[in-house]
Amino acid sequence: MGLAVNPLATPSVAAATTPLLVVEDLSIEFPTERGVLRAVRGISYEIAAGRTLGVVGESGCGKSMTALAVMGLVPSHGAVGGHIRFMGTDLAGLGEAAYRRLRGSRIAMIFQEPMTALNPVIPVGDQIGEVMQLHQGLSRTAARKEAVRLLDDVGIPSPAARAADYPHQLSGGMRQRAVIAMALAGDPALLIADEPTTALDVTIQAQILELMLELQDRTGMAIQFISHNLGVVSELADEIIVMYAGRVVERATAADLFATPLHPYTRGLIATLPDLTRREVRLPTIPGGVPDPVGGMAGCRFADRCPRADAGCRVAIPPLETLATGHSVACFKAAA
Amino acid sequence: MSVVALSTAAPPPILELDKLEISFPLEGGRILRAVAGVDLTLARGETLALVGESGCGKTTLGRAVVGLYPPTAGSIRFHGQSGGTTARRAIQMIFQDPYGSLNPRLPIGEVIAEPLKIHRIGSRAERRERARELIQQVGLPVDALNRYPHQFSGGQRQRIAIARALAPEPEIIVADEPLSALDVSIQSQILNLMAALKESRGLAYLFISHDLAAVHHIADRVAVMYLGRIVELGRRDALFARPSHPYTQALIQAIPRIGQGKRRRGRAIAGDVPSPLAPPPGCAFHPRCPKAQEICRVERPVLASPAGRPDHAAACHFAD
Amino acid sequence: MTRFIIRRLGEALIVLAVMSFVVYGLINLMPGDPLDLMIASNPGWTAADITKLRAIYGLDQPMVVRYWHWLTAALQGDFGYSRVFTLPVTRVMGPALLQTTKLMGLAFLCTLLVSLGFGIAASLKPGSRLDRLINFIAFAGISLPVFWLALLLIFVFAVWLGWLPASGMGTIGGGGGFFDSLKYLVLPVITLSLSQIGNLTRFTRASMIETMRMDYIRTARAKGAGPARVVWRHALRNALIPVVTVLALNFGSLFSGALITETMFGQRGMGKMIYDAVLGNDFNLALIGLLFASLLTLVATILADIAYAVLDPRISLS
């Protein structure tokens, strides 16, 4: 694309009425020795500006790979199909240079391990400031000053001193706050957070969750929050999609999903969580394990573990259907 | 001696920790007091959960019970005796990382039989037979015995680790975060397995975890640790329904809940866990405590029963 | 940091002192005697003459006493007289040291630049044709014996093509100047470097590949950093940490290991000097030469530790 002006810097009128992020029939495959590994098998979802989408699933469901696809960071040997539209623009058509202008500025991503997400030999303030050097053309000193302000925004005490520290001198919670500050530095319209609190202590996790809600109120950014922890997702998300083995199996508002979960996997997940208000002798479980992502399987990939599966489930893949309430589920046997 | 164990109806303890301290010397003459004075008992068939966040010392405590660290001060007595080989056999451990805790070069049959070999229990044939029994008891097929760890998933490996821990017929199993590396849908399977084994064999568990929800399911009593000391100790239902120590209250508040809408702000307590190298004076929790007063900065509270709760103990000047 | 340096230098001095005694003892154990040469060229001397001569040179005294004499003199700056070259030790060592420094210095620089360049280039696309080519060159360098390589280079460039001189340090008759002496250094420097380049390239490549897999590289990309910035600003410094350590340790051995190269190319450097001195039972020269080599290795180790601490803020020297 030879445009001098970044088409994403000034949102068009159309973007104001369409959702911020539209993912349509996304698929991601990798060639391996054993065959084609299908990490993501055709998923679709949307995020509106200022809203939070929770993406729930366990290992191997493709939730992290989906996020990487939005960022354009899928490893080069992977094949990405389908469409990703951000603020009206199809990201597949973007050249690498244009994509880089997006990353870290309009779309930012934070990852699971704060310990290793930061470069150990560069002071924290410079790593945050780098975002502004890259995208706003600030000088290093000016960027460092802004970084201190951001560290303050995310609730780090003595921000000027911490900005000069190296990552190993900060605690886990502070490191994750610094990572969040780094993500916010570019004033993103969309923040993708991949299991940002999983490696943190539970009291620190609570702090970080509250911080993210507060920051969202202030900046109006949208959040795509990925986690295997249903509780965390429940406390943050407006809408939730549940992923299993590369597909979306259920999609609903947070309230609807927990009030009336329809897909057997979702019901199973909710049921297996020990509940602090009830006392059970035996926890319900989902037997078996997640299927091998290499190779296909006829029919629904949850069938082998599903208490309701019948012969029909093993023949055809259930499509994601939307009910009148706006609640979507991909199951032939979904509860009414 | 622990306040809670004095109730006359309680069975006699098989494990007693008396003023236990475990410290590690560091460079520059500093000392890391991982466990700074713990009194605890464990009765036959009881599940005691040890709960806390990073730096609280629960992992160090668990390892000391198994015999991996010698006490710097105080004692660990099993059936009234310190040290000795019976304890080494009768107290076994399950670790957090199912990928690292199994030797990748040994086939599963040998992994499970290894404790028997080490303690010289049974002949080779008897050990093989025992491995067969155990692998089935943890829900895996017999042909797994000839395969290698890398061929199994995390949840299956944890089952193998459990089978290994069961081999020498222990009385106590120390489980150090056995669920945290596993997928959510697998965690409940392992929890159920552990509960079932406890019933069938009268096993006692020292269940170390930061996951309060899992603890709620399996524990009889719960001990909450903070910076090397126990700050609350009580029966499971009482602790969760009416936590007495502000730290326990904060922990329970912090657990994310399902189906209650977005998180209400202001529930989380502020601040980070202080470094065990420089614990705050007085009550170690006072810098983060919403109830802190002058006395908390000066005098460290001891573990004592709050008013009207004889079966419970908290280390707080203002315990509920 | 200063305390660290002082402490390590102190330790180095102690090591040197012990080494001096050990080396002195070892040379002393060797058969033969500094007087052998003189005796051989003066067949008319009688046994009485030889005994008198020994007494004059102090060679009849026990080794420990002789060592002590040497030590006290050396500490005052008097390093003695080289019997082989019939010159004070300092006058012999001076030019040799200079020549070796030129050779080592250039070889080190050459090794550094080429290895880093090759290593980084190979690591950016592992498995590519460039990577395979670089790996091949590296293995060649590791596998080729130095003397064979030297001969080959001499044959190709000096004899066959006639571009470069076969040996020596400067045009005979003098008057060559700086650039002339550089011409004589080209082949020896290449020979010395090639063997080192092999190892260091592979090491750099491995370290870079490992570093590029780290989470913070993914973070840098997620911030919008381009590939150049990711490599130079984020990856390189981390990847260099283990490489610099190896480099600094290699430096010490570069010094004494150049004997073959110096001999093949007629360079009168430290390696050749020490060799000649030991064979000639030249106590003073051999001792000082060997001690100097040890000192260099010790200093290189200290520099390695410092470099490590400077590059990696997680390491503190206390």
Side-chain angles (χ1 to χ4, degrees):
Chain A
M1 294 182 68
L3 295 180
V5 176
N6 183 343
L8 300 165
T10 43
S12 60
V13 173
T17 49
T18 55
L20 187 70
L21 179 74
V22 177
V23 171
E24 222 174 80
D25 206 27
L26 178 69
S27 72
I28 307 175
E29 297 179 350
F30 296 92
T32 69
E33 288 164 355
R34 292 187 294 132
V36 178
L37 193 156
R38 295 196 176 82
V40 178
R41 295 165 185 252
I43 66 170
S44 306
Y45 64 90
E46 295 175 359
I47 307 182
R51 308 277 282 171
T52 302
L53 175 76
V55 180
V56 175
E58 297 174 294
S59 53
C61 72
K63 56 193 196 299
S64 295
M65 206 44 82
T66 305
L68 288 178
V70 174
M71 292 291 284
L73 290 176
V74 172
S76 51
H77 60 286
V80 179
H83 296 279
I84 304 177
R85 264 183 280 272
F86 179 70
M87 291 171 82
T89 311
D90 190 334
L91 295 182
L94 279 187
E96 181 60 18
Y99 223 131
R100 253 182 272 145
R101 281 198 291 273
L102 259 192
R103 272 184 222 135
S105 64
R106 304 265 63 205
I107 312 181
M109 185 158 176
I110 62 182
F111 301 90
Q112 177 171 345
E113 288 281 351
M115 316 291 151
T116 49
L118 292 170
N119 194 326
V121 302
I122 304 179
V124 170
D126 283 339
Q127 295 193 47
I128 299 175
E130 189 177 13
V131 176
M132 292 167 278
Q133 282 180 282
L134 282 170
H135 296 285
Q136 295 162 20
L138 290 186
S139 73
R140 195 159 149 222
T141 18
R144 181 68 105 80
K145 277 217 297 252
E146 275 300 293
V148 173
R149 193 183 55 78
L150 279 164
L151 285 174
D152 190 37
D153 281 348
V154 296
I156 291 186
S158 317
R162 298 286 82 77
D165 278 346
Y166 290 93
H168 69 279
Q169 294 171 287
L170 301 180
S171 70
M174 297 235 265
R175 255 179 273 197
Q176 198 62 311
R177 286 174 194 265
V179 164
I180 292 174
M182 199 161 64
L184 291 180
D187 194 22
L190 172 65
L191 173 68
I192 304 180
D194 189 359
E195 306 262 19
T197 57
T198 306
L200 302 174
D201 282 325
V202 68
T203 51
I204 310 298
Q205 172 177 274
Q207 292 174 7
I208 300 291
L209 293 180
E210 290 186 13
L211 174 68
M212 289 183 76
L213 284 169
E214 186 192 311
L215 291 169
Q216 184 178 38
D217 275 350
R218 252 196 279 161
T219 62
M221 65 185 174
I223 301 180
Q224 179 171 332
F225 193 96
I226 302 166
S227 179
H228 66 272
N229 186 326
L230 279 170
V232 166
V233 169
S234 172
E235 291 197 343
L236 272 187
D238 297 304
E239 281 94 32
I240 300 179
I241 60 173
V242 180
M243 286 184 68
Y244 186 79
R247 294 218 157 84
V248 174
V249 297
E250 189 159 358
R251 185 173 66 207
T253 61
D256 280 348
L257 190 85
F258 293 111
T260 47
L262 296 179
H263 195 282
Y265 176 60
T266 317
R267 295 171 70 99
L269 272 186
I270 295 175
T272 59
L273 297 177
D275 184 339
L276 292 183
T277 60
R278 289 191 324 244
R279 169 87 175 110
E280 296 158 79
V281 178
R282 245 187 105 79
L283 283 174
T285 65
I286 306 179
V290 180
D292 189 348
V294 174
M297 210 164 104
C300 174
R301 288 174 71 76
F302 188 63
D304 283 342
R305 307 175 74 189
C306 183
R308 297 196 195 157
D310 64 18
C313 296
R314 294 189 166 82
V315 168
I317 300 172
L320 192 66
E321 279 169 354
T322 310
L323 310 176
T325 51
H327 196 139
S328 309
V329 63
C331 181
F332 296 127
K333 302 272 165 218
Chain B
M1 287 291 288
S2 164
V3 176
V4 185
L6 290 179
S7 156
T8 47
I14 54 176
L15 182 74
E16 290 165 292
L17 272 50
D18 191 17
K19 296 191 188 40
L20 183 66
E21 277 184 39
I22 316 246
S23 303
F24 300 101
L26 295 177
E27 270 182 16
R30 292 178 299 174
I31 302 207
L32 177 65
R33 294 182 79 203
V35 178
V38 164
D39 295 319
L40 215 51
T41 60
L42 186 63
R44 174 179 299 285
E46 175 181 31
T47 298
L48 174 67
L50 217 50
V51 170
E53 297 177 300
S54 337
C56 72
K58 59 191 195 295
T59 297
T60 309
L61 185 64
R63 292 190 184 166
V65 167
V66 169
L68 287 171
Y69 298 133
T72 310
S75 65
I76 302 176
R77 285 196 300 277
F78 180 63
H79 286 299
Q81 286 180 321
S82 299
T85 44
T86 6
R88 299 303 294 264
R89 178 197 61 78
I91 307 180
Q92 291 291 315
M93 190 151 181
I94 303 170
F95 299 88
Q96 173 175 0
D97 180 8
Y99 297 90
S101 62
L102 302 182
N103 187 334
R105 305 240 178 282
L106 291 179
I108 302 302
E110 282 184 49
V111 170
I112 298 178
E114 198 173 14
L116 298 174
K117 215 161 129 188
I118 292 171
H119 291 281
R120 308 215 182 106
I121 300 175
S123 67
R124 214 163 142 203
E126 282 166 350
R127 292 201 283 262
R128 262 206 304 262
E129 187 49 41
R130 185 110 176 92
R132 282 177 78 93
E133 273 172 37
L134 288 167
I135 195 87
Q136 291 175 77
Q137 275 174 17
V138 298
L140 289 172
V142 177
D143 64 18
L145 290 174
N146 297 324
R147 288 191 261 154
Y148 287 83
H150 69 268
Q151 294 169 285
F152 295 93
S153 70
Q156 290 169 322
R157 273 185 245 205
Q158 209 60 314
R159 289 174 191 269
I160 294 166
I162 293 175
R164 176 178 63 185
L166 290 174
E169 307 217 24
E171 293 176 47
I172 301 176
I173 288 189
V174 177
D176 187 0
E177 303 269 12
L179 308 176
S180 33
L182 304 176
D183 274 332
V184 172
S185 61
I186 308 293
Q187 287 182 11
S188 52
Q189 293 177 18
I190 302 297
L191 264 183
N192 280 344
L193 173 64
M194 290 179 74
L197 288 168
K198 168 182 153 182
E199 286 301 311
S200 62
R201 291 158 181 264
L203 276 176
Y205 285 124
L206 186 61
F207 191 88
I208 301 172
S209 179
H210 64 272
D211 183 351
L212 283 171
V215 161
H216 180 261
H217 179 70
I218 197 173
D220 297 314
R221 277 191 304 146
V222 180
V224 181
M225 286 186 74
Y226 190 80
L227 276 186
R229 287 182 215 277
I230 297 187
V231 297
E232 187 158 356
L233 176 63
R235 299 212 173 289
R236 190 264 320 275
D237 290 332
L239 190 127
F240 279 95
R242 280 181 56 204
S244 169
H245 193 283
Y247 178 59
T248 316
Q249 291 167 351
L251 273 183
I252 294 177
Q253 281 270 16
I255 303 174
R257 303 216 192 309
I258 291 191
Q260 313 253 318
K262 291 210 185 178
R263 187 173 184 90
R264 274 185 354 259
R265 258 43 86 62
R267 274 170 48 194
I269 50 164
D272 280 318
V273 180
S275 161
L277 285 171
C283 171
F285 187 62
H286 83 257
R288 302 170 79 190
C289 184
K291 292 186 186 173
Q293 309 273 341
E294 192 53 40
I295 184 178
C296 304
R297 277 178 261 280
V298 170
E299 193 185 310
R300 186 170 61 78
V302 290
L303 201 59
S305 298
R309 300 181 73 175
D311 260 356
H312 205 88
C316 178
H317 295 301
F318 303 101
D320 282 334
Chain C
M1 168 83 83
T2 12
R3 257 197 318 187
F4 171 78
I5 298 178
I6 292 174
R7 186 168 53 107
R8 291 295 297 271
L9 280 176
E11 287 171 10
L13 280 174
I14 297 177
V15 173
L16 272 179
V18 172
M19 273 223 57
S20 69
F21 185 72
V22 169
V23 173
Y24 196 94
L26 281 176
I27 297 180
N28 197 59
L29 284 175
M30 281 176 52
D33 190 289
L35 285 186
D36 282 353
L37 261 173
M38 285 170 81
I39 295 173
S41 40
N42 285 294
W45 288 347
T46 61
D49 292 329
I50 295 172
T51 322
K52 252 205 299 204
L53 222 41
R54 278 197 205 283
I56 294 172
Y57 280 113
L59 289 172
D60 56 344
Q61 293 176 309
M63 189 211 84
V64 188
V65 176
R66 279 187 285 143
Y67 171 73
W68 182 249
H69 286 321
W70 173 87
L71 187 63
T72 37
L75 285 175
Q76 291 168 32
D78 174 15
F79 292 123
Y81 200 75
S82 159
R83 254 163 266 292
V84 169
F85 291 96
T86 57
L87 286 170
V89 164
T90 35
R91 275 197 56 193
V92 179
M93 234 181 69
L97 192 55
L98 181 62
Q99 190 60 22
T100 295
T101 308
K102 276 199 257 180
L103 189 55
M104 294 306 135
L106 282 176
F108 187 73
L109 209 58
C110 182
T111 305
L112 183 67
L113 291 173
V114 174
S115 306
L116 286 188
F118 274 2
I120 296 173
S123 71
L124 291 179
K125 279 212 170 68
S128 66
R129 281 209 305 251
L130 179 64
D131 182 29
R132 287 204 293 260
L133 175 64
I134 291 176
N135 270 329
F136 177 75
I137 297 176
F139 276 123
I142 297 173
S143 329
L144 292 173
V146 175
F147 67 88
W148 184 84
L149 183 63
L151 280 174
L152 185 70
L153 286 175
I154 293 176
F155 180 71
V156 171
F157 288 98
V159 178
W160 189 32
L161 290 173
W163 289 351
L164 292 166
S167 70
M169 302 194 310
T171 324
I172 306 205
F178 182 64
F179 287 104
D180 181 59
S181 65
L182 271 187
K183 237 191 343 173
Y184 284 80
L185 280 172
V186 172
L187 287 181
V189 166
I190 292 179
T191 310
L192 255 186
S193 312
L194 259 174
S195 50
Q196 298 260 311
I197 284 174
N199 256 331
L200 215 57
T201 301
R202 292 206 31 94
F203 203 76
T204 306
R205 173 186 177 275
S207 187
M208 270 297 285
I209 289 181
E210 180 83 13
T211 303
M212 292 294 277
R213 277 207 294 240
M214 295 276 125
D215 284 349
Y216 51 83
I217 299 294
R218 181 180 58 178
T219 304
R221 290 208 181 102
K223 286 198 287 196
R229 197 183 171 96
V230 166
V231 168
W232 294 107
R233 175 113 173 90
H234 287 272
L236 200 56
R237 193 164 146 195
N238 284 282
L240 279 184
I241 293 171
V243 174
V244 154
T245 319
V246 171
L247 248 183
L249 293 176
N250 269 351
F251 185 73
S253 60
L254 240 191
F255 185 81
S256 38
L259 173 61
I260 297 176
T261 311
E262 283 177 0
T263 311
M264 299 294 301
F265 288 100
Q267 304 266 321
R268 285 200 298 281
M270 291 287 286
K272 185 103 173 53
M273 183 198 87
I274 295 176
Y275 178 72
D276 288 338
V278 169
L279 282 189
N281 282 74
D282 190 344
F283 274 68
N284 290 328
L285 190 57
L287 195 48
I288 296 301
L290 286 171
L291 283 180
F292 197 83
S294 315
L295 177 65
L296 224 69
T297 311
L298 286 168
V299 168
T301 320
I302 298 177
L303 285 177
D305 280 344
I306 295 178
Y308 200 52
V310 163
L311 278 181
D312 189 347
R314 289 168 289 188
I315 311 289
S316 77
L317 289 172
S318 57

